[in-house]
Amino acid sequence: MNSLFNKYYDRLMRPLESRAFHSIRKELIEQVDGTVLEVGSGTGVNFKYYQHADKVFAVEPDEMMLGQSLVHVDRLTVPIEVVRAGAEQLPFQDDSFDCVVCTLVFCTIPDPVTAWYEIKRVCKPGGRIFVFEHVRLNNPLWGTLQDWLTPWWKRCCGGCHLNRNTLDDIQRAGFNVTNIDRRYKGLILVAKAVNNK
Protein backbone atom coordinates (compact mmCIF):
# COMPACT_ATOMS: atom_id res chain seq x y z
CA MET A 1 0.00 0.00 0.00
CA ASN A 2 1.11 3.56 -0.69
CA SER A 3 1.15 5.09 2.80
CA LEU A 4 1.14 8.68 1.51
CA PHE A 5 -1.93 7.98 -0.63
CA ASN A 6 -3.69 6.29 2.31
CA LYS A 7 -2.82 9.17 4.66
CA TYR A 8 -4.41 11.76 2.37
CA TYR A 9 -7.14 9.54 0.90
CA ASP A 10 -10.08 11.53 2.31
CA ARG A 11 -8.68 14.85 1.07
CA LEU A 12 -7.92 13.46 -2.36
CA MET A 13 -11.39 11.93 -2.68
CA ARG A 14 -13.35 14.90 -1.29
CA PRO A 15 -14.29 16.41 -4.69
CA LEU A 16 -15.60 13.06 -5.99
CA GLU A 17 -17.37 12.32 -2.72
CA SER A 18 -19.22 15.62 -2.62
CA ARG A 19 -20.21 15.65 -6.29
CA ALA A 20 -21.04 12.01 -6.95
CA PHE A 21 -20.16 9.34 -4.43
CA HIS A 22 -22.01 10.71 -1.39
CA SER A 23 -25.43 10.12 -2.95
CA ILE A 24 -24.49 6.61 -4.16
CA ARG A 25 -23.20 5.58 -0.73
CA LYS A 26 -26.23 7.02 1.08
CA GLU A 27 -28.75 5.40 -1.28
CA LEU A 28 -27.09 2.00 -1.04
CA ILE A 29 -26.19 1.78 2.63
CA GLU A 30 -29.50 3.05 3.98
CA GLN A 31 -31.00 -0.22 2.66
CA VAL A 32 -28.92 -2.52 4.88
CA ASP A 33 -30.18 -3.94 8.17
CA GLY A 34 -29.44 -6.64 10.72
CA THR A 35 -25.85 -7.67 11.39
CA VAL A 36 -23.66 -6.13 8.68
CA LEU A 37 -20.16 -6.77 7.39
CA GLU A 38 -18.39 -3.93 5.61
CA VAL A 39 -15.43 -5.14 3.59
CA GLY A 40 -12.54 -2.69 3.27
CA SER A 41 -13.98 0.09 5.41
CA GLY A 42 -11.00 2.36 4.77
CA THR A 43 -11.22 5.65 6.66
CA GLY A 44 -14.83 5.01 7.74
CA VAL A 45 -16.49 7.20 5.12
CA ASN A 46 -19.54 4.88 5.05
CA PHE A 47 -20.10 4.77 8.79
CA LYS A 48 -22.43 7.76 8.98
CA TYR A 49 -24.84 6.20 6.48
CA TYR A 50 -25.73 3.16 8.58
CA GLN A 51 -29.22 3.91 9.88
CA HIS A 52 -31.01 0.55 10.18
CA ALA A 53 -28.24 -1.90 11.05
CA ASP A 54 -28.17 -3.61 14.44
CA LYS A 55 -24.37 -3.79 14.38
CA VAL A 56 -21.63 -3.32 11.79
CA PHE A 57 -18.35 -5.22 11.68
CA ALA A 58 -15.95 -3.23 9.51
CA VAL A 59 -12.82 -5.00 8.25
CA GLU A 60 -9.82 -3.05 6.98
CA PRO A 61 -6.27 -4.41 6.44
CA ASP A 62 -4.46 -1.07 6.32
CA GLU A 63 -3.44 0.11 9.80
CA MET A 64 -3.27 3.79 8.85
CA MET A 65 -6.76 3.85 7.32
CA LEU A 66 -8.16 1.78 10.16
CA GLY A 67 -6.77 4.30 12.64
CA GLN A 68 -8.44 7.16 10.79
CA SER A 69 -11.78 5.32 10.83
CA LEU A 70 -11.77 4.93 14.62
CA VAL A 71 -12.28 8.70 14.99
CA HIS A 72 -15.85 8.29 13.68
CA VAL A 73 -16.93 5.27 15.73
CA ASP A 74 -17.80 6.94 19.05
CA ARG A 75 -20.06 9.55 17.42
CA LEU A 76 -22.44 7.05 15.80
CA THR A 77 -25.78 5.63 16.92
CA VAL A 78 -25.22 2.21 15.28
CA PRO A 79 -22.46 0.19 17.00
CA ILE A 80 -19.47 -0.39 14.72
CA GLU A 81 -16.60 -2.74 15.51
CA VAL A 82 -13.50 -2.20 13.38
CA VAL A 83 -11.35 -5.29 12.79
CA ARG A 84 -7.94 -5.39 11.11
CA ALA A 85 -8.25 -8.13 8.50
CA GLY A 86 -8.05 -8.75 4.78
CA ALA A 87 -11.05 -9.83 2.72
CA GLU A 88 -9.43 -13.10 1.64
CA GLN A 89 -9.40 -14.47 5.20
CA LEU A 90 -12.30 -13.04 7.18
CA PRO A 91 -12.13 -13.76 10.94
CA PHE A 92 -15.80 -14.68 11.29
CA GLN A 93 -17.80 -17.88 11.48
CA ASP A 94 -19.94 -19.17 8.62
CA ASP A 95 -23.37 -17.57 8.15
CA SER A 96 -22.68 -14.61 10.45
CA PHE A 97 -24.07 -11.66 8.47
CA ASP A 98 -27.43 -10.52 7.11
CA CYS A 99 -25.87 -7.97 4.75
CA VAL A 100 -22.43 -7.28 3.28
CA VAL A 101 -21.34 -3.87 1.99
CA CYS A 102 -18.46 -3.39 -0.47
CA THR A 103 -17.72 0.14 -1.68
CA LEU A 104 -14.68 1.10 -3.73
CA VAL A 105 -12.65 -1.74 -2.27
CA PHE A 106 -12.44 -4.56 -4.81
CA CYS A 107 -10.04 -2.55 -6.93
CA THR A 108 -7.39 -3.01 -4.21
CA ILE A 109 -7.98 -6.55 -2.92
CA PRO A 110 -5.04 -8.74 -4.06
CA ASP A 111 -7.18 -11.84 -4.70
CA PRO A 112 -10.75 -10.68 -5.41
CA VAL A 113 -12.17 -14.10 -6.31
CA THR A 114 -11.02 -15.61 -3.01
CA ALA A 115 -12.52 -12.61 -1.22
CA TRP A 116 -15.92 -13.18 -2.85
CA TYR A 117 -15.88 -16.82 -1.73
CA GLU A 118 -15.07 -15.67 1.81
CA ILE A 119 -17.98 -13.22 1.69
CA LYS A 120 -20.21 -16.07 0.52
CA ARG A 121 -19.05 -18.16 3.46
CA VAL A 122 -19.70 -15.57 6.18
CA CYS A 123 -22.95 -14.25 4.72
CA LYS A 124 -26.15 -16.05 5.72
CA PRO A 125 -28.18 -17.97 3.12
CA GLY A 126 -30.43 -15.38 1.52
CA GLY A 127 -28.21 -12.58 2.83
CA ARG A 128 -27.89 -9.46 0.71
CA ILE A 129 -24.76 -7.98 -0.87
CA PHE A 130 -24.48 -4.26 -1.71
CA VAL A 131 -21.74 -3.21 -4.13
CA PHE A 132 -20.42 0.15 -5.35
CA GLU A 133 -17.23 -0.19 -7.39
CA HIS A 134 -15.41 1.36 -10.32
CA VAL A 135 -14.82 -1.22 -13.05
CA ARG A 136 -13.21 -1.79 -16.44
CA LEU A 137 -15.12 -0.02 -19.19
CA ASN A 138 -16.69 -2.20 -21.86
CA ASN A 139 -15.14 -0.09 -24.61
CA PRO A 140 -12.15 -1.13 -26.74
CA LEU A 141 -10.39 2.22 -26.46
CA TRP A 142 -11.09 3.19 -22.86
CA GLY A 143 -10.86 -0.36 -21.51
CA THR A 144 -7.46 -0.79 -23.15
CA LEU A 145 -6.35 2.54 -21.70
CA GLN A 146 -7.36 1.33 -18.23
CA ASP A 147 -5.33 -1.86 -18.81
CA TRP A 148 -2.33 0.19 -19.88
CA LEU A 149 -2.53 2.61 -16.93
CA THR A 150 -3.17 0.04 -14.20
CA PRO A 151 0.47 -1.00 -13.42
CA TRP A 152 1.45 2.65 -12.83
CA TRP A 153 -1.83 3.52 -11.09
CA LYS A 154 -1.46 0.62 -8.62
CA ARG A 155 1.91 1.93 -7.46
CA CYS A 156 0.64 5.49 -6.95
CA CYS A 157 -2.85 4.83 -5.58
CA GLY A 158 -2.70 2.22 -2.85
CA GLY A 159 -2.86 -0.86 -5.08
CA CYS A 160 -5.95 0.28 -7.02
CA HIS A 161 -6.61 -1.65 -10.26
CA LEU A 162 -8.48 0.46 -12.81
CA ASN A 163 -9.48 -2.58 -14.85
CA ARG A 164 -11.25 -5.05 -12.58
CA ASN A 165 -14.33 -6.94 -13.86
CA THR A 166 -16.04 -7.07 -10.49
CA LEU A 167 -19.44 -8.18 -11.76
CA ASP A 168 -17.88 -11.28 -13.36
CA ASP A 169 -16.19 -12.14 -10.06
CA ILE A 170 -19.45 -11.78 -8.10
CA GLN A 171 -21.25 -14.11 -10.49
CA ARG A 172 -18.34 -16.59 -10.58
CA ALA A 173 -18.61 -16.94 -6.81
CA GLY A 174 -22.25 -17.98 -7.21
CA PHE A 175 -24.17 -14.92 -6.03
CA ASN A 176 -27.53 -14.16 -7.63
CA VAL A 177 -27.21 -10.59 -8.91
CA THR A 178 -30.64 -9.01 -8.60
CA ASN A 179 -29.94 -5.42 -9.62
CA ILE A 180 -27.29 -3.81 -11.83
CA ASP A 181 -27.00 -0.05 -12.24
CA ARG A 182 -24.16 1.21 -14.42
CA ARG A 183 -23.36 4.88 -13.97
CA TYR A 184 -20.97 7.35 -15.58
CA LYS A 185 -21.01 5.48 -18.90
CA GLY A 186 -20.28 2.16 -17.21
CA LEU A 187 -17.32 3.25 -15.09
CA ILE A 188 -19.30 2.88 -11.86
CA LEU A 189 -21.12 -0.34 -10.96
CA VAL A 190 -23.85 -0.23 -8.31
CA ALA A 191 -25.23 -3.71 -7.77
CA LYS A 192 -27.21 -5.85 -5.35
CA ALA A 193 -26.97 -9.60 -5.00
CA VAL A 194 -28.36 -12.42 -2.88
CA ASN A 195 -26.31 -15.20 -1.34
CA ASN A 196 -27.96 -18.33 -2.67
CA LYS A 197 -26.27 -21.20 -0.86
Side-chain angles (χ1 to χ4, degrees):
M1 288 286 191
N2 184 322
S3 59
L4 193 62
F5 176 79
N6 293 348
K7 182 177 180 180
Y8 295 106
Y9 179 84
D10 283 342
R11 284 188 219 173
L12 293 167
M13 293 294 288
R14 193 168 291 137
L16 280 172
E17 288 291 342
S18 62
R19 292 187 188 131
F21 294 171
H22 159 78
S23 59
I24 296 172
R25 291 181 191 276
K26 186 173 188 296
E27 171 191 329
L28 200 65
I29 294 170
E30 285 184 347
Q31 299 175 60
V32 307
D33 55 20
T35 304
V36 177
L37 171 65
E38 180 175 339
V39 176
S41 54
T43 61
V45 69
N46 286 334
F47 292 175
K48 63 186 175 186
Y49 300 114
Y50 289 104
Q51 301 295 319
H52 309 293
D54 296 328
K55 183 168 182 177
V56 177
F57 291 83
V59 297
E60 171 55 50
D62 185 83
E63 189 172 1
M64 185 179 295
M65 285 190 148
L66 187 147
Q68 293 175 61
S69 75
L70 292 175
V71 174
H72 306 292
V73 170
D74 292 335
R75 298 179 290 185
L76 302 167
T77 54
V78 170
I80 295 180
E81 183 176 329
V82 182
V83 178
R84 187 170 183 199
E88 299 95 336
Q89 196 168 5
L90 296 168
F92 306 107
Q93 296 194 3
D94 296 0
D95 304 334
S96 295
F97 298 100
D98 300 294
C99 294
V100 180
V101 172
C102 310
T103 65
L104 300 180
V105 63
F106 268 89
C107 59
T108 61
I109 293 174
D111 186 348
V113 174
T114 297
W116 281 116
Y117 280 107
E118 269 291 271
I119 289 170
K120 189 172 188 64
R121 179 184 68 78
V122 301
C123 184
K124 293 177 181 176
R128 296 174 297 148
I129 316 299
F130 297 83
V131 177
F132 158 38
E133 299 286 342
H134 67 80
V135 295
R136 188 183 191 277
L137 289 163
N138 188 19
N139 174 291
L141 174 62
W142 295 112
T144 301
L145 182 61
Q146 286 174 296
D147 295 339
W148 183 77
L149 285 172
T150 288
W152 171 82
W153 190 264
K154 282 193 310 184
R155 287 193 296 274
C156 296
C157 299
C160 174
H161 294 70
L162 294 171
N163 59 347
R164 288 268 167 94
N165 290 307
T166 300
L167 185 59
D168 291 348
D169 292 341
I170 296 169
Q171 292 171 323
R172 187 176 300 125
F175 292 98
N176 177 24
V177 178
T178 58
N179 185 276
I180 300 169
D181 183 6
R182 297 183 188 275
R183 303 188 188 186
Y184 301 99
K185 301 190 176 181
L187 181 62
I188 296 296
L189 170 72
V190 181
K192 298 174 202 168
V194 175
N195 190 16
N196 289 342
K197 66 175 183 179

